[in-house]
Every structure is written in structure tokens, then in C-alpha cells.
Amino acid sequence: MEVSGEGREIRRDGGHARGSSRVAATEDEIDGMHAAKAVSAENTDVNEDKSCSQPQEQKPGWKRFLAHVGPGFLVSLAYLDPGNLETDLQAGANHKYELLWVILVGLVFALIIQSLAANLGVTTGKHLAELCKAEYPRFVKYCLWVVAELAVIAADIPEVIGTAFALNILFHIPLWAGVLITGLSTLLLLGLQRYGVRKLELLISILVFVMAACYFGELSYVKPPASEVMKGLFVPKLSGNSATSDAIALLGALVMPHNLFLHSALVLSRKTPPSVKGINDACRYFLVESGFALFVALLINIAVVSVSGTVCTADNLSSEDSDRCSDLTLNSASFLLKNVLGKSSSIVYGIALLASGQSSTITGTYAGQYIMQGFLDIKMRMWLQNLMTRCVAIGPSLIVSIIGGSAGAGKLIIIASMILSFELPFALIPLLKFSSSKTKMGPHKNSIYVIVVSWVLGFGVIGINIYFLSTSFVDWIIHSSLPKPVIILVGIIVFPFMAVYILAIIYLTFRKDTAVTFIDKSDSSQIEMENGMRRSDGNRGTEVVPYRVDLADIPLPD
């Protein structure tokens, strides 16, 4: 006890010579113990963090892929909307299989630009509308916003008319009344969201694919010649007076400008590690998902065109069906499925058409929301955004349905698809420039091969639009029966508009980007991610990857 007490006393004051060596040894031991504990704690932290990050790194690739599934499939619903079905049906009835190559080129091009939109969002952490706001002057920004909103409205017109056609088929409601009732679909959408939009999307997808199964079944029944179908897919051909306009309508229905804004925003709802490997993996997963979804859309569109072309050109076609084929619309297309479904063909077709129309409501609503938020920093409630867009789209649809009936409404769908095609450059050119810019994408910018292919295809579509716009208008002026003063007045209005359209495309193409949005976060962020991050509750080992909180409520699969 005495020695112990002496030892404790020596430790306190260190004043006795007899205990000086003991004191030195004790202090060294204490320092060594502290150092050992610090090293042990560090090793423990590293081991804990490694044990935390190891499961994430060793997670199977298919599980990491499933975590990114969702945006591509939601965007692909827009390729099966009533506008696509209308243009497909008329292309098959008027040109048989000759325009299948337009669908193939359009969907390949859609895959390229949709993947570029996804890459842009993943890499920059901003969607296309936000980048446009950061890059362009105020006047240009507002002009692009107006054009983007018009694209959403033009895409909503086929949904309005398609839903009205479905209500007419199912309940024999007049077309103009069905157009008015579509305004209530906003409230229906809002009500179903209370049960979960994922369930709503699943239901709509099932119903749309039911329609696809019907067309595939009819395709196996009518058995179109495989050689002619393959020739139509891979041999470009435009014959007939309406071939060019039908081809542009097909492209407009397939390659929608608002989808580019939508896809670049949807990918931000996924937690992507801000490292080179994390970004590259996410871009690859989104590409695979979009490729699969668009391949399914390609097969469905080919089936619709082939069925329409085979049935409407059959030798044993009745006079009644021949009249329907000469003026084929969504409202009269259910007879194409009677070989498979018999008397119930109209009911199944009407339900599937209703589902197809509502699917475009979802994509259009999301696109409108993010366009407004990105350009104007205004985030509206989804039901209010949908209601505003729907009210604007109901106007022309109601007028045309009252004056022109189902035939006029069908033509309005074609016109809306052509408007989308003409508006495409104002979303496509910024996307191509941003995704190829080192100041926007850093090391993740497009390769030279992607740049060449995307720009060639993009300017091919733009060139076709300009050619068709100019030649159609000149032809109309030459053959118009209107009084000359009226023709002169229309020319004074339209020719400057065409000049402004071309100059705007040239401006967007050759303007030098000035805004720098790429920030190399790989050094600091990757270290933090690899070492693990702690939540405020003190739990260790939970990896918190930064992502867009304002987009985290998008109802997609986790």
C-alpha cells in the first residue's frame, strides 16, 4: 500500500528521485497506450467504413441496375401515346410498310438523344431546363421556355383527343363532350396518386401492353410478308404526295422535345455517387434501360403499322372497312383487331386507348413541371400544372372536334405531331451542345463518334423540317384559291416567321457556350464516400450520397 501510495504520489508531483525512473516509464507507457488506442480507433473506423462500403461495392451488378430502372420506362410511355398510334395507323393505311424505316431511324435517334439527356443530368446534377437558364441570355431563355411549354401543350392535344375517342368508343359519348370530360382526368390523376403513382404507372403500363399484345396477336393472324416488312425497315423510300408529311409526323410523334427535358430531370431522382466510376456506371445503366424500353416501343409501333398496312391493303377487304381505311382515325381503328378479339375488339381497344392517353398525361405533367421550375424557378403543384396545360390543349381540340368531327380531330393529332417536330431543334441543339461541352460535362463529354452521329442525325431532322416547311408553304401559295390580297397578307406574316426560325437555329448552333457548370467533385467527394459518412443520429456505416432533394419525390422505384 505504501509503495502504491508512493507511486501515486510520484505520479502526481514527480518529486522523488527514487521514483523518477518509474515516473518516466509510466509516462512513456501512457503515451504508448494513447497512441495504440488512437491507431486502434483509426483502424476500427477504417474497418467499419470498409465493412460498410464493401457491400455497396460488392453489390451485384443487376441490383445496381435495378436501382436505376424507372426513368427510361416512364419516358418510353410517351412513344406509345395516341399521337404515335394515330400516325402509325395512317402511315400503314396510306403507305403500307414503306415508312417503317422512319420509325426505326426515329427510335434509334430517340435512344441516342434520350441517353444524352440522361448523361447530362447525371453528370451535371442539373436538368436541361436549368442549364438553358444558366447559359442563355434572358430574352433567349424566355423564348426557349415558351417553345418548351408549347411543345408540352402540343403533346397534350393527342392525349385529349385520344381520351375523347376512347370515351366515345366505350360509352358513345359525343366527341366534343369527351374533350370537355378530359379536363376531369386531372382530378382523376390526383385522386389515384393518393394510392401511389407507382401503382398507377404499373396499371397504365399493363393496359398499354394489353393493346400491344392485341396488335401482336393480330399481326400473327394477318401474317404480313416478312420480306416487305424488312424492306420497309431498311430501305428508305418516300413515294406519294403525303409521304413526306406523314414521315415528318412520324418523327414528330417519336422524337418529342419535352421528353429531353423530362429524362434529364428524372435521372436526378437516383442517388448517383459523384465519382468518375459512379457517373459512368449510372450512365451505362440508364442507357441499357432506355434501350430496352425503346426496343419494346419499336416492336409495338412496327406491329401497329404492319397490321394497318396489311388489313387495309387486303384483297378481301369489305367496302365498309375500305372506307374506314381511307380515313383511318383512332376512333375507327378498332376493326383492325376484330380477327383476334371479335365483337369485344372495340371494348378492349377503347380501354387500352384510354390508358395510352393517360400515360401521356403523366409524362407531360412531369415535363411541364420541370420546364417551369428550370427556366423560371417556379415549382407548381402537379395537379395545377396539369390543369393549366389541359385547359390550353382543350381549346383547339374542342373547336376542331365540333367543326370537323372525328376526321378533323384525327388531322389535329397529325398537326400536333408536326408542331413537335418543328419545335425539336430548340431542345435538341442545346442538348447536343451541352453534352459535347467540356465546361458542362468535363471528362464525361461525348466522344467524337457520338458527336458526329448525333449532329448528323439532328441536322438531318432539322433539314427535313425546313425543307418541308418551305416547299409546302410555297406550294400552298401557288395552288391556293384564296384572294390574292389574303395570300399576300399570309406571305407577309409567314415568310418572316420562317426567316426567324432559321436564324434562331443558326444562333443556337454557333453560339459559344460561356457558363461553366461542371465541378470536379471526384477528389473530395470520393474520399468521403469511400471513408463512409455519418448521419446526425450517430449511426456509422450509412453511405449518404448527395442527390437532388427537390426531385426526390418523383414516384419511381427505389
Side-chain angles (χ1 to χ4, degrees):
M1 296 293 295
E2 193 175 358
V3 174
S4 175
E6 185 182 6
R8 283 194 296 270
E9 186 178 351
I10 291 172
R11 287 189 189 95
R12 282 193 298 268
D13 55 29
H16 298 285
R18 190 176 61 175
S20 61
S21 60
R22 173 89 179 259
V23 170
T26 304
E27 290 177 349
D28 291 341
E29 289 174 2
I30 293 173
D31 292 340
M33 290 173 63
H34 288 168
K37 287 181 179 179
V39 172
S40 175
E42 291 179 359
N43 291 336
T44 303
D45 289 345
V46 171
N47 290 334
E48 287 179 359
D49 294 337
K50 283 184 177 180
S51 65
C52 162
S53 60
Q54 205 168 16
Q56 179 71 17
E57 295 173 358
Q58 294 180 353
K59 206 172 182 180
W62 65 271
K63 285 189 176 180
R64 296 200 302 270
F65 169 72
L66 290 179
H68 291 79
V69 169
F73 280 95
L74 182 58
V75 170
S76 69
L77 289 176
Y79 297 91
L80 301 172
D81 71 341
N84 283 96
L85 298 179
E86 175 79 19
T87 53
D88 288 347
L89 292 170
Q90 293 200 8
N94 297 334
H95 309 283
K96 207 172 180 181
Y97 319 114
E98 290 182 1
L99 296 184
L100 284 175
W101 66 272
V102 178
I103 296 177
L104 178 62
V105 172
L107 282 175
V108 169
F109 184 47
L111 174 61
I112 294 174
I113 61 176
Q114 293 295 162
S115 64
L116 294 184
N119 295 352
L120 184 70
V122 170
T123 303
T124 63
K126 297 178 180 294
H127 54 78
L128 183 57
E130 293 173 327
L131 292 174
C132 288
K133 178 190 175 184
E135 177 62 41
Y136 294 111
R138 178 177 296 180
F139 176 75
V140 177
K141 175 188 70 175
Y142 286 135
C143 289
L144 291 177
W145 168 68
V146 171
V147 172
E149 292 289 356
L150 290 176
V152 175
I153 294 170
D156 199 49
I157 288 176
E159 190 277 331
V160 170
I161 297 176
T163 303
F165 279 150
L167 295 175
N168 178 262
I169 293 172
L170 293 173
F171 307 108
H172 304 289
I173 297 175
L175 190 60
W176 63 268
V179 170
L180 291 176
I181 292 175
T182 55
L184 299 177
S185 66
T186 300
L187 303 178
L188 176 63
L189 178 64
L190 179 64
L192 290 177
Q193 280 180 332
R194 303 177 70 178
Y195 298 96
V197 177
R198 298 180 195 176
K199 297 177 182 178
L200 174 63
E201 293 170 358
L202 178 61
L203 174 62
I204 290 175
S205 300
I206 291 174
L207 293 175
V208 170
F209 281 102
V210 164
M211 180 173 61
C214 295
Y215 275 101
F216 285 134
E218 181 72 14
L219 191 68
S220 64
Y221 182 87
V222 298
K223 293 182 174 61
S227 59
E228 292 189 29
V229 173
M230 297 301 292
K231 183 179 178 181
L233 272 173
F234 297 104
V235 179
K237 185 178 180 182
L238 291 174
S239 60
N241 296 329
S242 62
T244 304
S245 60
D246 287 345
I248 291 178
L250 278 173
L251 282 176
L254 289 170
V255 186
M256 300 183 184
H258 69 283
N259 260 2
L260 304 181
F261 293 100
L262 176 63
H263 204 173
S264 62
L266 290 177
V267 297
L268 297 177
S269 65
R270 295 299 186 266
K271 297 182 179 181
T272 301
S275 62
V276 174
K277 184 178 184 302
I279 291 175
N280 289 338
D281 287 345
C283 292
R284 185 171 64 253
Y285 294 144
F286 286 129
L287 174 62
V288 173
E289 182 215 10
S290 299
F292 179 76
L294 292 180
F295 178 70
V296 174
L298 172 65
L299 295 179
I300 295 174
N301 282 275
I302 290 175
V304 174
V305 173
S306 300
V307 167
S308 175
T310 305
V311 172
C312 290
T313 57
D315 296 332
N316 58 349
L317 189 66
S318 65
S319 59
E320 182 182 358
D321 290 345
S322 179
D323 293 338
R324 291 175 178 172
C325 286
S326 62
D327 190 17
L328 191 60
T329 64
L330 289 174
N331 199 29
S332 60
S334 60
F335 78 96
L336 297 174
L337 303 177
K338 65 182 180 181
N339 292 322
V340 175
L341 300 174
K343 295 181 179 180
S344 61
S345 61
S346 60
I347 297 176
V348 176
Y349 174 80
I351 293 174
L353 181 59
L354 183 64
S356 174
Q358 293 306 307
S359 68
S360 63
T361 297
I362 294 177
T363 57
T365 300
Y366 284 145
Q369 180 184 14
Y370 296 123
I371 286 172
M372 185 169 290
Q373 175 264 324
F375 280 108
L376 306 180
D377 282 335
I378 298 176
K379 188 173 182 181
M380 301 177 63
R381 293 181 180 273
M382 293 188 64
W383 68 269
L384 183 59
Q385 170 71 40
N386 179 259
L387 183 61
M388 290 177 59
T389 303
R390 179 58 48 81
C391 289
V392 177
I394 281 177
S397 303
L398 181 63
I399 295 172
V400 172
S401 61
I402 293 175
I403 298 175
S406 61
K411 291 179 181 178
L412 182 60
I413 291 180
I414 301 296
I415 293 174
S417 299
M418 294 173 64
I419 291 174
L420 288 172
S421 184
F422 289 131
E423 292 182 339
L424 179 62
F426 301 102
L428 177 61
I429 293 177
L431 172 64
L432 295 180
K433 291 194 69 177
F434 294 162
S435 61
S436 304
S437 172
K438 192 171 184 180
T439 60
K440 300 289 191 300
M441 301 284 285
H444 305 283
K445 70 173 186 176
N446 297 334
S447 65
I448 185 63
Y449 303 105
V450 175
I451 292 175
V452 171
V453 172
S454 58
W455 278 100
V456 168
L457 290 174
F459 271 102
V461 174
I462 294 171
I464 292 174
N465 290 341
I466 295 175
Y467 170 79
F468 177 77
L469 177 65
S470 57
T471 55
S472 298
F473 183 68
V474 172
D475 182 71
W476 177 83
I477 289 180
I478 294 174
H479 299 92
S480 177
S481 60
L482 293 175
K484 286 187 178 180
V486 177
I487 295 177
I488 293 174
L489 179 62
V490 172
I492 291 174
I493 296 175
V494 173
F495 276 117
F497 174 78
M498 293 171 60
V500 171
Y501 180 81
I502 296 173
L503 289 175
I505 292 175
I506 295 174
Y507 170 81
L508 292 176
T509 303
F510 294 101
R511 181 186 182 276
K512 185 178 180 181
D513 292 350
T514 57
V516 179
T517 58
F518 176 78
I519 301 175
D520 189 2
K521 302 175 288 185
S522 59
D523 295 335
S524 60
S525 299
Q526 191 170 4
I527 292 173
E528 289 180 358
M529 288 168 57
E530 290 176 354
N531 290 339
M533 300 177 68
R534 299 184 183 184
R535 292 188 182 272
S536 59
D537 60 1
N539 292 334
R540 187 185 299 275
T542 303
E543 187 179 88
V544 182
V545 184
Y547 70 110
R548 290 289 296 273
V549 178
D550 59 326
L551 302 179
D553 59 346
I554 295 179
L556 297 172
D558 294 327

